[in-house]
Amino acid sequence: MAARWGRCRRRRGAVAVVAMVCGIGLAAGPAAVREPPTVARVDPPSWWAGHTINPVRLLVRGTNLKDAFVRAERPGVEPGDVTASERGTALFVTLKIDPKAAPGSYPLRIENAGGTATIAFEIAAPLGPGAGFRGIDEDDILYLIMPDRFRDGDPANDAPADAPPEANDRRQGRAWHGGDFRGIIDRLPYLKDLGVTAIWLTPWYDNANGLTLCDKPWCPYTGYHGYYPVDHYAVEDRFGDLKTLRELVAQAHASGIKVVQDQIANHVGPRHPWLIDPPSPTWLHGTTAKHRDNAFRVDLLVSPHASPADRAPTLDGWFAGELPDLNQDDPEAARYLIQNAVWWAGATGIDGVRLDTTPYVPRPFLRDLTSALHRQHPRLTIVGEVLELDPAHTSFYLGGRAGWDGVDTGLDSVFDFPTWAASVNGFAGKQPLKALRAVLKADALYADARRLTVPTGNHDLPRAPSFPGMTPEGARLHLAFVLSTRGTPQLYAGDEIGMPGGDDPDNRRDFPGGFPGDPRSAFDPDGRTPAERVAFDWARAWISLRRTHSALRRGALIDLAADDDTYAFARRDARETILVAFNRASVPRTITFPRASLGAGARLVPRIGPGPALPIGGESISLTLPPRSASAFAVEP
């Protein structure tokens, strides 16, 4: 396929064979007028020599690409296996890269009977030794940021020229508000002071600049949250550019803060060009006019007894009925998505990936995606979003062992929403507090429950202070529980100041002081309200406690006592034992548990909570807990 026009060789056999070798479409006929090819873009625009994915598969978009072939302009790359779409607007080409090729420009020439065009392609230099790929684990405090709602550090990028005014209006809950990468860079010292060690950013893919209309209650809407991509290889222009993103990652790493990218493999935005012209006939499940809505029946995916026909609406349906579903069973689409995930990691130096809407893609694809990322970056952490409250569902997706289908997803972690639900319901008085002990017994279902990521909340859930029945004290106890239980704790920006917020979009309020014209700044102690100061000091104290004591990060969890209003457990490793106890009641409560449960030790020394050191002895320990309290004690000689 790399031969030039004018160098076609006549092969033995039919004229049709000669035509195929030369790239001439016989159906056009000898009198047909051929237009030269045009190239609008190539995905990926760059790759690396010596990469674990080699060859790489390019998707070229343009016109008149059918019956064309590709050759290299310089040594170091070798194209082959060219396939074009019926309309001639998409062309796939496999590109083999010499492992010793130097970084630089390696243009390709695409040719047909009407002329030639250039495909720009680059072999990129790998990131330096300061790049990430370090992964996240129980030693980290993960902090979720929605860039558009955190801080506006560069007002110049707030309103692109082609965006209608109504798409950029802070008074509207689903419009763009102006937050960006520069704003996050500027507040890295705030995050470090809080004790954050990793930040998860909602997607930074380019989204449509205008409004997207639909017949759902939340329309019209914009892609301010990042989950409606229109370009998988471009950075959202309101956030900045790739250079600024790399600066953010580098500055975060210099501050001791890791970065997690939010990736989407399930769907695209409702204004993606693929809806009009998909690269292949099976690239998407259905069309705008004819498609299934997602049934959201994860129980059918988990059950070995459900039929494929019953599972199909959940795997192939359009998310919320509006977001076009990608077909990962299409080999070209699957390869595109996997390469895209790997490209972003290599191009930015991230430490982890949060994979959106994990259950709604086929599990073999999940395995292939995680395998590709881990082959190139073995320490990179991949966290799957499984927004289900049944541990049987979440455990089915955590990697480490094969499910009934023989597939190990390879996911390093999944979000532990069952424990989140037990915590917010318990501390809001909706369930007895012993429900916490009950949900934790499901840890037996997981390959390793310590690998779970436990959220205080996120952008899809009501914030804890606004959860029905929740008090400010209850929200603080919920935060303390998440920061002291097993797994990796994940906070949502604003949790540390007790930010309220109901259903979407109320749970996506701007961070106070992050935007021009804000009357005060909760980033600064003097700008916080009295209630925000209490919440912030509480959050920082429990974050500091967790970071100070290895037992709270990696120790075994030992149940001590639980009833309607109290729950107590110990965290123990080879170095220490920490006792954590909660009382949600408005009056003091006394708990009693066997002395032997704490192992060796003669006294309980308060780390968080009032009172002097308490001597312990005898067969049992009785501990009186203050009302609406969370306490932590070190067991010492």
Side-chain angles (χ1 to χ4, degrees), residues 88 121 134 139 166 276 286 301 306 326 358 424 446 484 505 507 578 601 618 634:
F121 185 77
R134 294 177 295 170
D139 291 330
E166 61 269 27
I276 299 172
L301 306 180
L326 291 162
T358 295
V424 292
Y446 298 98
S484 56
N507 55 355
I578 302 294

Side-chain angles (χ1 to χ4, degrees), residues 47 103 191 214 236 298 313 407 445 492 513 519 566 594 627:
W47 207 251
L191 298 174
C214 72
E236 170 53 50
V298 174
V407 173
L445 300 176
Y492 177 25
T566 66

